[in-house]
Amino acid sequence: MSFASPSIRRPRIALPAGVAAMIAVLAVGLIGVIPATAVPAVPGPGYQDFQYNPGPDSSPGGDAVTGARNQSKVWFNDGIWWAVMFDKTNAANPAYRIQSLNMATQTWTTGGTATQADKRNKSHADVLSDGNTLWMASSHKSGTNVPPNGDLQVFKFTYNATTKKYTIVAGFPKTIAGSVGSKGTESATIAKAPNGQLWVAYTQDDATPATTAKVKVVNSTTAAGTVWNAPVEIPGGTSPITTNDVAAITNVNGGVGVFWSNQSSTDHAFYFSVHPDGGSWSARETAYNPALGADGHLSVRTNTNGDVLAAVKTSQTGASPLIGVLRRTAGGTWESIHTVATSAGAVDPTRPILVIDAANNEADVFMTNQVDGGTITRRTASLTTLDFGAPSSGTTFIASSADPLISDATSSKQVATAESGIIVLASDRTDTVRRYLHGCAGAVCPAVPVADFTGTPLTGDAPLAVQFTDTTTGGPATWAWNFGDGGTSTLQNPNHTFNAGTWTVSLTVTNALGTDTMTKTGYVTAAVPPGATYFPIAPIRVLDSRAGLGTTLFHANVAKNFQVTNGTSIPSNATAVTGNLTVTSQSAKGYVILAPTAGSTTSTLNFPVADNRANGVTVALGPLGKLNAVYKAAAGQTTHLLFDVTGYFLSGTSGATYFPIAPIRVLDSRAALGTSLFHANVAKNFQVTNGSSIPNNATAVTGNLTVTSQSAKGYVILAPTAGSSTSTLNFPVGDNRANGVTVALSGTGQLNAVYKAAAGQTTHLLFDVTGYFVAGTSGASYFPIAPIRVLDSRAALGTTIFHANVAKNFQVTNGGSIPSTAAAVTGNLTVTAQTAKGYIILAPTAGSSTSTLNFPVGDNRANGVTVAVSVTGQLNAVYKAVAGKTTHLLFDVTGYFE
């Protein structure tokens, strides 16, 4: 049957940074914290980054840290965005450093541990990423600077993909040009020619006249960049440029090319000159030269097809192009300017930078919009036509009311791809702010998330394991699932097991920009399954992580599946199993969750360190006949687990059905009931069936095995006959300890027990039967369920705190997943916060004298049980201890008999 599942979306406004979430789990409280994220710009878009130099410019620190117009300070390598950014967090050594960007949180790795680039606080860098080699040309025009002042230096770094870090190459930096008088080097850019030589272009002021400058280039003699020729002037120019002009170098087919501005009153043009590998500089080409056609703002890129594109600013007014893109085809022809923006109206864009976006076949121009105080805006056009449409200053890309002077955008000279997206870095130079900001474009960038998900399967018999897949768009950083049955998860793609019913599922996703919720009503329908009957077997070990059986060593908080069914002794269509879970070699105290699938919050086995401990369980199997186990403990801890299967359930009537009974003691060696004192390593039989309350045709029983008065640590093997090698109950000396079991009987209705310990040791054992299985349909069938907590006195669930020797009832059946017609339940009883040693009696009604769970003080301890419920669907528990003592109890149901 199919059901319509209406979807309800509840978007929410943007959240402040530093959102945190807590999730409480049983027995050991574990806290999950959402990672810190960058603060979105206010009101946005974009992100506020760190302050590079709060305070006046006269203090030691960066100056126009993203400026110099033609330079590129951002690159993409190894799936990570990088940037050269000034960082004062290392007060003893403030410097430009190589920072990486965490795309999920949109935060840069600020701090003194980031690789130092240039220590000169007012230098300006341009970078070239060449695989795992990074080249950086760094220059400074004039003024106070950490020495060497004014020199043009080249840095070479290598990248280690394992450590995710750049390291400077020995012998670098190299000074490749120096000051001319007091005139330093400005706005250097770097490119690599096809023959491997490195080229750097820059401008340098003339000594006389003081208003003029020259375009210069300098190149390495080899690809290693260790030896450099002397700088030379570009020979293609016949007139000096102004001190406000800049140059940029880029690749062209077969060589490199330099693009520069000339704002002199007799010129006002943009020019280009080419140097082929092995050749000489060409005569200059005029790229654009109308009246007032040049300004000192330009950004040059080379497309993958060999076209050279330059985003430029002119000095023109009115309807003439103020910001435009020039294109030189691979054949060497300059096209007419493609207008981006004019100065007409309330528009005043400046400082354009160009990004070639191959993923979308677009040219992106980012500009500083000065009309609104300072924002970064964006315009795009097809790379084919370069038609930007009607002139405008574009759409806002980075803005913040807390940052009034955002300017000096910079980005990568690399061609953007779908994998990289686009990162644009800018800065606010307000004296009291001095902060980096950045914007992100592309599918890889976070956006306000739009929540959505799928699940499979959505219908089937309970317990129904559903695998959920997050299909949210917008780069969510956190996930909060509500499965409608009390279960939750913070995983991106959780697996959750549903009991019978129709369930509404919700997913709330969050990132730095906001949050969104998708609710799917009646999304999962789990039907009540056919009843199952029982097949007892001789114990079979299916998990021993010490030997790599099932899986290997368990690490804290890492859920692991292991196979239980094997197609033979435990058939593939088994729906649940009975067995014994044992912990050993744990490096820290903790507990284990054993469930059909990951995500359960109910505990199965609690333990301190250095205590081999076992617990009997009856548990539904997950998909493909597996179980999931997780060791909940402090991070970094490990343990080994063992699991022995003593029987299985199959849907249908071919196996044995169950008869719950009031607990009957059939073994107490202290009183010679069943047998007498147990001696180490001597197997002994004792009778279980009695022809009346436990009939002779019983095939298996449920019950509780207790050890007392042991003279040495050890363990007990309980099986139909002698010879089994699987343990049932593990214990130290001086600790009365119990374990719930479901175990097959021998052909004569007996069980065999052996105390495994050092020779000469002795112990007493007790065994209480709580029910039996008989072949046929006369008894109750079993219905496994995903674990449900019905008692937690800490939270007043079921009842409140237990006082010594005061019996208390609590409700087990709920009319839904545990129907009121249930005759008995399987589950796990846990004690915690006990103020004195003692034991618990768990029975349908008050008055029983058999113990269920024995414990000392200060030990969270659990025991698996199969127990009849009262006619009203309740259980009765009493804490037997010294008067005045108290404890808390928890009870989780894993299935029921009906």
Side-chain angles (χ1 to χ4, degrees):
M1 181 179 295
S2 62
F3 295 85
S5 299
S7 300
I8 303 172
R9 183 176 306 289
R10 296 193 297 273
R12 301 179 185 173
I13 60 173
L15 298 176
V19 180
M22 287 188 183
I23 298 167
V25 295
L26 172 78
V28 179
L30 301 177
I31 298 175
V33 182
I34 296 174
T37 54
V39 179
V42 182
Y47 298 87
Q48 290 179 322
D49 299 316
F50 59 91
Q51 290 181 285
Y52 61 88
N53 182 26
D57 187 44
S58 58
S59 64
D63 176 27
V65 291
T66 56
R69 295 164 284 185
N70 56 328
Q71 293 182 321
S72 173
K73 306 184 190 302
V74 182
W75 69 100
F76 187 73
N77 182 40
D78 193 25
I80 302 169
W81 276 101
W82 305 84
V84 173
M85 304 170 74
F86 192 81
D87 195 327
K88 284 187 65 180
T89 57
N90 186 336
N93 188 27
Y96 286 93
R97 300 183 183 278
I98 297 176
Q99 314 284 354
S100 62
L101 179 66
N102 183 317
M103 285 295 288
T105 62
Q106 291 293 294
T107 53
W108 297 95
T109 55
T110 59
T113 59
T115 300
Q116 180 177 298
D118 195 338
K119 67 180 180 181
R120 297 179 296 174
N121 58 314
K122 296 182 181 179
S123 60
H124 296 138
D126 182 72
V127 296
L128 170 67
S129 178
D130 181 21
N132 284 333
T133 299
L134 178 72
W135 297 96
M136 184 179 82
S138 187
S139 58
H140 186 258
K141 183 176 181 179
S142 60
T144 303
N145 191 72
V146 174
N149 187 48
D151 286 351
L152 172 58
Q153 294 188 315
V154 168
F155 295 71
K156 182 180 182 182
F157 303 88
T158 57
Y159 178 72
N160 186 313
T162 301
T163 62
K164 308 294 183 186
K165 192 169 185 178
Y166 283 90
T167 304
I168 194 163
V169 175
F172 288 84
K174 292 188 176 296
T175 298
I176 60 173
S179 298
V180 176
S182 62
K183 309 298 183 181
T185 53
E186 183 183 12
S187 303
T189 55
I190 187 169
K192 183 179 180 181
N195 66 4
Q197 290 180 320
L198 283 302
W199 287 82
V200 177
Y202 60 100
T203 59
Q204 191 163 41
D205 295 359
D206 284 342
T208 56
T211 57
T212 62
K214 293 288 195 304
V215 178
K216 295 185 176 182
V217 293
V218 56
N219 70 299
S220 67
T221 59
T222 66
T226 54
V227 179
W228 290 73
N229 292 319
V232 296
E233 296 177 13
I234 287 286
T238 58
S239 302
I241 60 175
T242 73
T243 56
N244 264 336
D245 283 311
V246 296
I249 194 164
T250 189
N251 298 98
V252 296
N253 290 335
V256 294
V258 174
F259 186 95
W260 71 93
S261 62
N262 189 332
Q263 301 174 76
S264 66
S265 59
T266 58
D267 209 318
H268 248 295
F270 289 105
Y271 296 107
F272 190 69
S273 186
V274 175
H275 187 286
D277 285 353
S280 58
W281 286 99
S282 69
R284 73 179 186 185
E285 302 169 5
T286 301
Y288 188 63
N289 69 339
L292 301 177
D295 201 332
H297 299 176
L298 54 91
S299 176
V300 181
R301 303 287 185 258
T302 300
N303 197 1
T304 53
N305 65 357
D307 290 355
V308 175
L309 281 72
V312 298
K313 181 185 178 185
T314 74
S315 296
Q316 298 177 95
T317 59
S320 297
L322 177 65
I323 304 292
V325 173
L326 300 169
R327 173 157 58 190
R328 180 186 189 269
T329 66
T333 301
W334 286 96
E335 298 176 350
S336 298
I337 193 167
H338 301 271
T339 303
V340 176
T342 67
S343 62
V347 175
D348 189 19
T350 187
R351 299 178 183 253
I353 63 165
L354 177 66
V355 175
I356 295 175
D357 183 358
N360 297 297
N361 192 41
E362 287 180 348
D364 288 65
V365 177
F366 298 90
M367 303 167 281
T368 298
N369 184 6
Q370 303 174 96
V371 171
D372 54 6
T375 62
I376 304 301
T377 59
R378 176 192 190 190
R379 294 214 69 196
T380 63
S382 164
L383 277 170
T384 305
T385 64
L386 290 182
D387 182 0
F388 289 88
S392 77
S393 59
T395 57
T396 304
F397 191 70
I398 304 175
S400 170
S401 59
D403 297 279
L405 290 177
I406 302 173
S407 185
D408 297 329
T410 186
S411 189
S412 174
K413 62 182 66 175
Q414 298 162 304
V415 173
T417 64
E419 179 191 10
S420 68
I422 298 172
I423 294 295
V424 174
L425 191 62
S427 58
D428 180 355
R429 284 194 277 167
T430 309
D431 280 351
T432 56
V433 179
R434 295 189 174 271
R435 183 187 357 255
Y436 281 106
L437 301 98
H438 78 275
C440 184
V444 298
C445 303
V448 176
V450 178
D452 204 358
F453 61 89
T454 61
T456 186
L458 297 179
T459 60
D461 288 341
L464 179 64
V466 179
Q467 176 63 58
F468 289 94
T469 302
D470 168 49
T471 58
T472 298
T473 58
T478 63
W479 299 263
W481 295 84
N482 186 324
F483 300 114
D485 60 356
T488 60
S489 176
T490 57
L491 297 176
Q492 181 178 8
N493 299 306
N495 189 301
H496 184 72
T497 301
F498 292 88
N499 289 319
T502 298
W503 307 102
T504 293
V505 180
S506 295
L507 170 63
T508 298
V509 290
T510 303
N511 65 15
L513 299 180
T515 187
D516 187 43
T517 296
M518 171 61 80
T519 298
K520 298 189 178 183
T521 303
Y523 191 58
V524 176
T525 299
V528 176
T533 51
Y534 187 61
F535 294 81
I537 60 174
I540 295 176
R541 181 152 292 171
V542 297
L543 171 67
D544 187 342
S545 61
R546 301 171 303 181
L549 173 63
T551 188
T552 53
L553 182 71
F554 284 79
H555 295 265
N557 310 310
V558 178
K560 302 179 75 171
N561 291 326
F562 61 93
Q563 189 68 41
V564 177
T565 61
N566 56 18
T568 54
S569 52
I570 309 172
S572 300
N573 59 340
T575 60
V577 291
T578 60
N580 206 53
L581 177 68
T582 304
V583 64
T584 187
S585 304
Q586 61 270 37
S587 60
K589 68 178 182 180
Y591 63 98
V592 171
I593 299 172
L594 185 70
T597 57
S600 176
T601 57
T602 57
S603 67
T604 305
L605 176 60
N606 301 64
F607 46 84
V609 71
D611 183 353
N612 294 343
R613 186 170 291 190
N615 195 22
V617 298
T618 302
V619 59
L621 293 175
L624 304 177
K626 294 183 179 183
L627 286 175
N628 182 277
V630 58
Y631 166 42
K632 303 297 283 186
Q637 305 302 319
T638 60
T639 194
H640 283 295
L641 295 178
L642 299 82
F643 187 63
D644 303 314
V645 175
T646 61
Y648 59 88
F649 290 91
L650 290 181
S651 295
T653 60
S654 57
T657 49
Y658 185 65
F659 293 82
I661 61 174
I664 296 175
R665 181 155 292 170
V666 297
L667 171 67
D668 187 343
S669 61
R670 300 172 303 180
L673 173 64
T675 189
S676 54
L677 182 70
F678 283 79
H679 294 265
N681 309 311
V682 178
K684 302 180 75 171
N685 292 327
F686 61 93
Q687 190 67 36
V688 177
T689 60
N690 58 17
S692 55
S693 53
I694 308 172
N696 294 332
N697 62 341
T699 59
V701 292
T702 61
N704 207 50
L705 177 67
T706 304
V707 64
T708 187
S709 304
Q710 61 270 38
S711 61
K713 68 179 181 179
Y715 62 96
V716 171
I717 300 172
L718 185 70
T721 58
S724 176
S725 59
T726 57
S727 63
T728 305
L729 177 60
N730 300 64
F731 44 84
V733 70
D735 183 358
N736 294 341
R737 185 170 291 190
N739 193 23
V741 298
T742 301
V743 59
L745 295 173
S746 72
T748 57
Q750 293 185 322
L751 286 175
N752 182 276
V754 58
Y755 166 43
K756 302 296 287 186
Q761 305 300 320
T762 60
T763 193
H764 283 294
L765 295 178
L766 299 80
F767 187 64
D768 302 314
V769 176
T770 60
Y772 59 88
F773 290 92
V774 173
T777 60
S778 56
S781 296
Y782 185 63
F783 296 82
I785 64 173
I788 296 175
R789 179 153 293 169
V790 297
L791 171 67
D792 187 343
S793 61
R794 301 172 304 180
L797 173 63
T799 189
T800 53
I801 194 167
F802 284 79
H803 295 267
N805 309 310
V806 178
K808 301 180 77 172
N809 291 327
F810 61 93
Q811 190 68 37
V812 176
T813 62
N814 57 18
S817 50
I818 309 172
S820 56
T821 51
V825 293
T826 59
N828 205 54
L829 177 67
T830 304
V831 65
T832 187
Q834 61 270 36
T835 58
K837 68 179 181 178
Y839 63 94
I840 302 294
I841 299 172
L842 186 70
T845 57
S848 175
S849 60
T850 57
S851 64
T852 305
L853 176 61
N854 301 64
F855 46 85
V857 71
D859 183 356
N860 294 342
R861 185 170 290 190
N863 195 22
V865 299
T866 301
V867 59
V869 296
S870 72
V871 293
T872 57
Q874 293 184 323
L875 284 174
N876 182 276
V878 58
Y879 168 40
K880 303 296 287 183
V882 176
K885 301 303 181 179
T886 60
T887 193
H888 283 293
L889 294 179
L890 299 83
F891 188 62
D892 302 314
V893 176
T894 62
Y896 62 91
F897 289 94
E898 184 185 37

